[in-house]
Amino acid sequence: MRIHRLEIQAFGPFAARETIDFDELSSHGLFLLNGQTGAGKTSILDAICFALYGSVPGARQHGKRLRSDHAEPETAPEVVCEFSARGRRFEVTRNPQWERPSSRARSGSVTEQAHTLLREKVNGAWVQKSSRNDEAAAELLSVLGMSLEQFTKVVLLPQGDFAAFLRADAKERRPLLQRLFSTDRYEAVEQTLADEAAKARSAYQAAVAGADQLLERATEEASRHLAAEDIPNQPLAAGDLIAAFESSIASAAASVQEAATRGQEALGRLRETIGWRELALADHAALMELEKLSVEHRQAADGHAALAETLAAHRSAELLASPIRHRDQAALAAERSAKEFLDRIDTAETHPLYPAFVSRRPEPEPAGQALLDEAAGRLAAERGRIGALLPEEQRLQMARSDVQRFERRAEQLAQDLTAAAAEREQLAATGRRLQDELAALAETPDVGLLTERLEQARRVREAVADHAACRAKTEAARARRDAAHTRQLERKETWLSLLEQRLDQAAAELAATLAEGETCPVCGGTEHPLPAVAASGQLVTREQEAAARDEHAAAEARYSEAREACANLEQELSVLASRGGATDATEAAAAVATARASLDQAVAVRDRRRELQERLAATTQQLEEIGQQLSALAVARASADSELKAGRERTEELERKLREALPDGVSLRDHAASLSRLDQLLADALRILAEHRHCGNALAQAEGDLASAIDQSNFAAEEEVRVSLLAPAQLQELERRHTAYVEAGQRLAVLESSEPVIRARTALENGETLPETGEMDAARDQAEVLDRTVREQQVRHGVLAASQEQLAAYRRRFEEEHTRLAPIAARHELLQSVAETVRGLGENERKMTLTTYVLAARLEQIAAAASERLIAMTDGRYTLVHDDSKSGNKKSGLGLHVSDEWTGQRRDTATLSGGESFMASLALALGLADVVQAEAGGVDIETLFVDEGFGSLDEQALEQVMDALEGLRDGGRVIGLVSHVAEMKQRIGAQLQVTKGRHGSSVRTVLTGVA
């Protein structure tokens, strides 16, 4: 990249348009950029950066206002740079944002936004490429191939920065190298590996925790069922330990099972013994019971004979009890049926239709039955006629129900039609109102643009507040500056006056030192006939003049400080004014309020339009739906009217038919129900009459049977039979006593031949003794204890068996977890090792991260490139060496040492002298430029600027540095040196001189020959 031409107007300290022809300077290859401090040497470099990147380097882009304070208010700040790169020639024109005076208002300003124009020379003519800031910036970045930061390190070589870089430690070098070589991807690799290692560690810990939890559960399970001495105490692997627990539990279960079996056998033997003893006691009790019953049976024999006679008489009379009971029941039934028949006839006579079918009152005799049979026949004929008409009445009811339903439906449809028509009209009116309201709304303003305007207004308001505060400070600073200037001028005038007087009184001052006879220091004479005297009569002493000069110097220093402070405040005030700070505070607040109101109104309009559009769409949809609903309702209404008419005609026909078949005022259903009730009454009367006739026949039969039975019995009359019959309770008691006596005899016979009695009598004959009660209780207690022990052992065996199964499940699950853990552990170990290595931990002996490793490789390249030039500058004595060794606990990788060929030793770069440090810094800057240039894609840099620092070199070192710089211009490269050193002005004939003045700085090119 070669710079051909630079034009600056109203930029930095340059008020007028200044043009620099770098092609003219390039004929010499090496030129000097010099000028007084503050003249604007750095501003030229800033102008180049601003033209190419739209910004100035470092902190100056924030703290320095670009437009010149010396320029006329109407003059626009502008930088034009013509350059060539990659075989193409470009011209870029940039205008920074600035405040121009308003052409309408008497006061105030208008903000002119930043502007960029990029042109390319094609076939000898300039062709516009872009006039947009963003497009031009993208095109320039693509052509230049490097960022602003890289450009300032490759093309503009600031020696102060590289001197600090040279002496810095690894920690301080790292940020600069990271910015230059963009190592974000390597840091991302480090972070990715760290994240993956953390995930692998979590998975491994989770797997280990699962296995440990299984081991813990197995240990807890074994501890609940095993004694401490039965738990394995020798160190075992986790799987073997669970298996040992399982084996111990199995052994314990087998022991418990064996003990339970032995206890069960002993319990069986003990229960057998107890059973034989209890059988002997039961046999003896049966013998005692037999003897007791025998005595009681013999004592009850006499009373049992009388009881037997009474029961025999009752049984004889009981044979006649049934005919007597049958005769009594038949007489009672005949009497009850006659009464029930007469009661039913009384009920039937109250029925309104009864006289129409029964001519007289029937009696409970055959004539009454004939009368009722005749009435029932006529009634059945009438019921048949009415029954034939019942379906017609049902059809009439259904027809009436249909008519009512059709009327309700027709009425509902009429209401629905009315409501739907009203709703359609309301929706149509709503739609028209929404369309009118939507048409009345203005087009929605650009909310984003209004938001940006509001933010801009807020920034202006803030700038106004800051501008007011800064203006007060500036006015105070101006007052202090003017006062200091006045005092400085007064002190200067006093000093110059005293100096002039002292010069004028030099002869008088000399004459005052003459003495008679002593030689004059001027003429050498010993006589002094007319010594000079002071015009004012009093001499100004050297001390007075010196004091006045010191007071002037102090006043001038104070004025300089006040002027600099005032300039800083004025610059800050200008920056604030460029941001709109000079705007009236009320106007700025009103602008914010107006912007806020405009934005709120725009948002409200946008939201209202959106709401109206949504509501209008919904209303249109509802109108379509209500139209379809009205059509369907009209069709349904016509169908309902037709059905209603047919139903009414059918109802009238059925009503006419029924009126002709029934008496007036009586419904068919009521008339049929009344006939049914009367028919039921007559049927009940006939049934009861038939029962009465049957009861009379049964009474005659029962009386004949009773008379025949008495004649054949031992009784003379019915009364004797009734006396012999016993009451049920008395009969039951006598039979119970008779049965108990008989059963006692039978029981005695059974007991006499029973085995218990036989065994008891045999035992008495053999002289066997019965077991004692205490002995039996002790045996039972022993059996109970033994039974409880056996049950507990069986429960214990079940618990141990379940525990054994649980431990077997734990063992199988642990083996599965152990199998699954192996690859997880391997992955965790691998990722952990790799992650620690790239982060400078673990087995990384040099404690160097991956990013540091990459930066170390770049630093090694920089050191090698810098050493080529440092060797030439130091006559082969010094080279820069990259050092990646560790220093204590610090991470290695970015160390930089200087190798002294005279001593053969390496030492810290901080041990270099001032001149040596300058040469090393210059070499380092040039080496970094070469490496960054290669990193940026091999961009050819044909124009370089080297900043201040040559004053620290002696004559020989300066010569060597100049030789090295002369070598840089080989191949047409142009080198610009920024320096105040007087010898540089003498050595370099091509110079770009910057001169400052009260109305701004200016630039001129001086060519005195090739240096």
Side-chain angles (χ1 to χ4, degrees):
M1 191 275 291
R2 176 186 290 272
I3 301 176
H4 300 286
R5 178 174 55 88
L6 181 68
E7 295 182 14
I8 308 173
Q9 174 180 287
F11 185 90
F14 303 103
R17 179 173 289 272
E18 302 290 338
T19 302
I20 303 173
D21 188 352
F22 286 101
D23 287 339
E24 184 181 12
L25 294 171
S26 66
S27 61
H28 297 270
L30 190 67
F31 69 90
L32 180 68
L33 176 60
N34 63 31
Q36 298 172 306
T37 301
K41 300 186 296 298
T42 304
S43 295
I44 294 177
L45 306 182
D46 288 346
I48 295 174
C49 292
F50 179 75
L52 298 177
Y53 293 98
S55 181
V56 295
R60 296 196 296 277
Q61 60 183 312
H62 303 293
K64 184 173 183 179
R65 187 161 57 92
L66 299 181
R67 189 180 184 279
S68 175
D69 294 334
H70 300 284
E72 293 297 328
E74 298 82 5
T75 303
E78 183 176 88
V79 176
V80 181
C81 181
E82 183 180 346
F83 69 95
S84 59
R86 301 183 187 271
R88 302 164 66 184
R89 190 157 182 148
F90 295 90
E91 180 190 76
V92 57
T93 303
R94 286 192 189 266
N95 303 94
Q97 179 179 313
W98 66 290
E99 299 291 328
R100 67 169 177 81
S102 175
S103 58
R104 297 180 180 180
R106 295 183 179 178
S107 62
S109 60
V110 177
T111 301
E112 292 289 345
Q113 300 298 327
H115 179 263
T116 303
L117 175 63
L118 179 63
R119 300 194 301 170
E120 182 179 3
K121 200 167 190 178
V122 181
N123 297 328
W126 289 105
V127 178
Q128 179 174 325
K129 298 287 290 182
S130 176
S131 60
R132 290 182 52 179
N133 295 331
D134 53 350
E135 290 182 353
E139 180 73 17
L140 288 170
L141 186 61
S142 174
V143 171
L144 295 173
M146 63 183 80
S147 65
L148 174 61
E149 188 170 38
Q150 290 175 322
F151 182 84
T152 58
K153 298 298 185 295
V154 174
V155 179
L156 311 179
L157 306 181
Q159 293 305 300
D161 291 351
F162 284 94
F165 181 81
L166 181 69
R167 295 184 174 88
D169 57 15
K171 182 178 180 181
E172 295 169 342
R173 290 192 186 102
R174 182 184 178 98
L176 174 61
L177 294 173
Q178 283 179 316
R179 290 195 301 271
L180 289 176
F181 296 106
S182 183
T183 58
D184 294 344
R185 57 186 181 274
Y186 303 105
E187 294 175 356
V189 170
E190 293 178 16
Q191 185 60 44
T192 300
L193 286 173
D195 294 342
E196 291 297 324
K199 294 178 182 177
R201 181 172 59 254
S202 299
Y204 173 71
Q205 291 174 350
V208 171
D212 292 343
Q213 187 177 20
L214 287 174
L215 179 59
E216 182 180 351
R217 290 180 179 178
T219 304
E220 182 180 356
E221 181 69 24
S223 300
R224 284 203 300 266
H225 305 297
L226 293 177
E229 60 273 9
D230 295 333
I231 297 178
N233 53 11
Q234 64 273 23
L236 296 174
D240 296 337
L241 183 59
I242 296 176
F245 288 156
E246 183 182 355
S247 177
S248 299
I249 290 292
S251 298
S255 299
V256 172
Q257 177 65 24
E258 183 179 356
T261 302
R262 291 196 303 269
Q264 188 71 31
E265 293 174 354
L267 178 61
R269 292 192 297 271
L270 180 58
R271 284 178 171 171
E272 184 178 0
T273 302
I274 293 174
W276 283 110
R277 292 178 179 178
E278 289 179 343
L279 182 59
L281 290 174
D283 292 346
H284 180 71
L287 180 59
M288 294 297 101
E289 180 68 17
L290 174 61
E291 293 177 352
K292 177 182 178 183
L293 290 177
S294 297
V295 173
E296 292 177 353
H297 193 265
R298 287 193 297 270
Q299 292 175 353
D302 296 337
H304 180 263
L307 184 145
E309 292 179 358
T310 303
L311 286 176
H314 172 75
R315 291 190 182 97
S316 298
E318 194 175 17
L319 296 175
L320 300 175
S322 178
I324 295 174
R325 185 169 58 255
H326 287 169
R327 193 275 317 275
D328 294 343
Q329 291 175 351
L332 182 59
E335 182 180 358
R336 186 168 55 249
S337 61
K339 183 176 182 304
E340 186 176 358
F341 173 76
L342 296 176
D343 291 340
R344 191 56 51 90
I345 292 300
D346 292 340
T347 303
E349 288 176 346
T350 62
H351 194 280
L353 297 179
Y354 179 81
F357 296 95
V358 183
S359 57
R360 64 179 183 276
R361 180 179 177 83
E363 296 296 335
E365 55 186 17
Q369 182 174 357
L371 183 62
L372 290 177
D373 288 339
E374 180 186 0
R378 292 198 305 273
L379 182 60
E382 180 65 17
R383 287 189 65 195
R385 186 180 70 85
I386 296 302
L389 295 176
L390 282 176
E392 297 297 329
E393 187 177 39
Q394 292 178 355
R395 284 193 291 273
L396 175 61
Q397 291 177 353
M398 293 177 62
R400 288 173 177 172
S401 177
D402 290 341
V403 168
Q404 293 176 355
R405 179 165 54 83
F406 293 153
E407 288 175 347
R408 288 194 300 271
R409 185 183 178 198
E411 182 179 358
Q412 183 62 45
L413 287 173
Q415 294 176 358
D416 292 345
L417 276 170
T418 303
E423 185 178 0
R424 181 177 62 181
E425 183 61 29
Q426 184 179 2
L427 286 173
T430 301
R432 291 191 297 272
R433 179 176 55 79
L434 291 175
Q435 289 178 343
D436 295 342
E437 188 174 354
L438 188 60
L441 284 177
E443 288 296 326
T444 304
D446 189 346
V447 176
L449 178 61
L450 292 176
T451 303
E452 183 178 353
R453 289 179 180 174
L454 175 60
E455 293 300 323
Q456 183 178 0
R458 286 174 173 169
R459 289 194 293 271
V460 170
R461 184 179 62 185
E462 294 173 358
V464 167
D466 296 341
H467 184 273
C470 185
R471 182 172 57 193
K473 294 180 182 178
T474 303
E475 291 175 355
R478 286 172 177 168
R480 289 193 296 271
R481 180 198 63 187
D482 295 342
H485 191 201
T486 301
R487 286 194 297 272
Q488 182 262 339
L489 293 176
E490 291 174 352
R491 298 297 185 273
K492 183 177 182 180
E493 183 178 359
T494 301
W495 169 57
L496 292 177
S497 177
L498 291 176
L499 179 61
E500 184 178 4
Q501 292 180 25
R502 188 165 177 269
L503 292 175
D504 293 340
Q505 297 174 1
E509 182 179 352
L510 178 61
T513 62
L514 297 177
E516 291 295 333
E518 295 182 359
T519 59
C520 176
V522 177
C523 62
T526 57
E527 295 182 359
H528 315 292
L530 189 60
V533 294
S536 60
Q538 185 177 1
L539 293 176
V540 176
T541 65
R542 182 187 301 272
E543 289 75 10
Q544 289 176 331
E545 185 267 334
R549 184 176 64 249
D550 292 343
E551 290 180 359
H552 167 255
E556 188 174 24
R558 288 191 295 271
Y559 169 60
S560 178
E561 293 175 357
R563 183 177 57 191
E564 182 177 1
C566 183
N568 291 334
L569 287 172
E570 287 176 343
Q571 179 177 346
E572 182 180 355
L573 188 64
S574 299
V575 171
L576 292 173
S578 67
R579 297 176 185 170
T583 307
D584 183 69
T586 304
E587 181 181 349
V592 172
T594 302
R596 176 74 264 179
S598 299
L599 177 59
D600 292 342
Q601 183 179 3
V603 171
V605 169
R606 181 194 63 189
D607 294 344
R608 182 57 179 168
R609 285 184 66 87
R610 187 178 302 164
E611 179 187 358
L612 289 175
Q613 290 170 351
E614 292 175 355
R615 290 177 57 189
L616 182 58
T619 302
T620 303
Q621 179 66 25
Q622 291 176 356
L623 277 172
E624 294 177 358
E625 294 175 356
I626 203 68
Q628 297 173 359
Q629 183 180 355
L630 278 170
S631 299
L633 287 173
V635 173
R637 171 67 184 276
S639 176
D641 291 342
S642 177
E643 291 176 346
L644 178 60
K645 181 179 180 181
R648 286 174 175 171
E649 292 176 352
R650 188 167 54 253
T651 301
E652 292 174 357
E653 176 64 22
L654 290 173
E655 287 177 347
R656 181 188 60 76
K657 185 176 182 180
L658 290 176
R659 281 197 301 272
E660 294 175 354
L662 290 175
D664 294 338
V666 179
S667 68
L668 182 65
R669 186 173 300 277
D670 292 342
H671 188 60
S674 180
L675 291 175
S676 178
R677 287 196 299 273
L678 180 59
D679 183 64
Q680 184 64 41
L681 290 173
L682 296 180
D684 289 344
L686 286 171
R687 177 182 54 78
I688 295 171
L689 185 58
E691 290 177 359
H692 176 68
R693 186 172 62 255
H694 177 72
C695 289
N697 296 333
L699 176 60
Q701 181 65 34
E703 288 178 346
D705 293 341
L706 177 59
S708 176
I710 291 175
D711 292 340
Q712 296 174 5
S713 67
N714 298 325
F715 297 98
E718 180 180 348
E719 291 303 324
E720 292 181 4
V721 176
R722 292 184 180 276
V723 172
S724 298
L725 288 173
L726 296 175
Q730 184 181 9
L731 175 62
Q732 183 179 3
E733 176 62 22
L734 293 179
E735 286 180 343
R736 184 191 64 76
R737 289 166 56 188
H738 172 70
T739 301
Y741 182 81
V742 173
E743 288 176 351
Q746 295 172 351
R747 186 177 180 186
L748 285 173
V750 172
L751 285 176
E752 283 288 344
S753 59
S754 65
E755 291 184 1
V757 172
I758 295 173
R759 287 196 302 269
R761 288 176 176 172
T762 302
L764 289 176
E765 292 174 356
N766 295 335
E768 296 179 4
T769 60
L770 295 174
E772 298 292 335
T773 304
E775 182 181 354
M776 290 298 297
D777 292 341
R780 292 189 184 96
D781 293 341
Q782 182 181 359
E784 183 178 354
V785 171
L786 187 56
D787 180 61
R788 185 166 57 250
T789 302
V790 169
R791 286 199 301 271
E792 291 175 354
Q793 289 172 341
Q794 290 173 342
V795 171
R796 171 69 173 164
H797 176 265
V799 171
L800 290 174
S803 178
Q804 180 183 356
E805 293 178 0
Q806 184 66 47
L807 287 172
Y810 285 152
R811 175 175 51 78
R812 291 191 296 271
R813 288 175 57 189
F814 183 84
E815 292 171 353
E816 294 172 359
E817 290 289 335
H818 187 70
T819 302
R820 191 173 65 87
L821 180 61
I824 296 176
R827 173 177 171 78
H828 166 251
E829 183 177 357
L830 175 61
L831 286 174
Q832 187 71 22
S833 175
V834 174
E836 289 181 351
T837 299
V838 300
R839 292 170 60 197
L841 304 172
E843 299 179 359
N844 191 332
E845 296 180 356
R846 295 185 181 275
K847 304 301 181 184
M848 188 185 302
T849 65
L850 176 62
T851 304
T852 305
Y853 176 79
V854 175
L855 294 178
R858 296 290 188 271
L859 183 58
E860 187 174 6
Q861 296 173 355
I862 294 170
S867 295
E868 294 180 4
R869 294 178 172 82
L870 185 59
I871 290 173
M873 294 179 189
T874 60
D875 199 16
R877 179 178 181 181
Y878 293 119
T879 58
L880 291 174
V881 181
H882 166 241
D883 184 12
D884 61 356
S885 60
K886 281 188 59 180
S887 176
N889 293 327
K890 296 182 179 179
K891 296 181 178 180
S892 62
L894 300 180
L896 192 64
H897 290 166
V898 63
S899 177
D900 190 344
E901 298 299 329
W902 289 5
T903 63
Q905 301 293 323
R906 289 186 182 182
R907 52 193 173 96
D908 197 299
T909 54
T911 61
L912 294 174
S913 65
E916 292 172 340
S917 295
F918 170 74
M919 289 188 290
S921 300
L922 179 59
L924 188 63
L926 296 173
L928 178 62
D930 292 341
V931 175
V932 173
Q933 177 181 339
E935 183 76 13
V939 179
D940 190 13
I941 306 300
E942 299 182 52
T943 304
L944 292 176
F945 294 90
V946 181
D947 205 347
E948 189 66 72
F950 298 93
S952 61
L953 303 178
D954 57 24
E955 183 176 354
Q956 180 181 359
L958 180 59
E959 185 69 27
Q960 293 170 337
V961 170
M962 291 301 297
D963 290 341
L965 293 175
E966 288 283 353
L968 291 177
R969 66 180 183 179
D970 293 344
R973 182 178 289 177
V974 180
I975 310 297
L977 304 180
V978 183
S979 177
H980 297 87
V981 178
E983 187 176 351
M984 301 288 286
K985 299 179 184 179
Q986 298 174 4
R987 288 178 58 92
I988 302 174
Q991 298 182 12
L992 189 63
Q993 296 180 353
V994 184
T995 305
K996 67 178 180 179
R998 296 182 61 85
H999 301 293
S1001 298
S1002 61
V1003 179
R1004 68 188 182 97
T1005 302
V1006 178
L1007 300 175
T1008 59
V1010 179

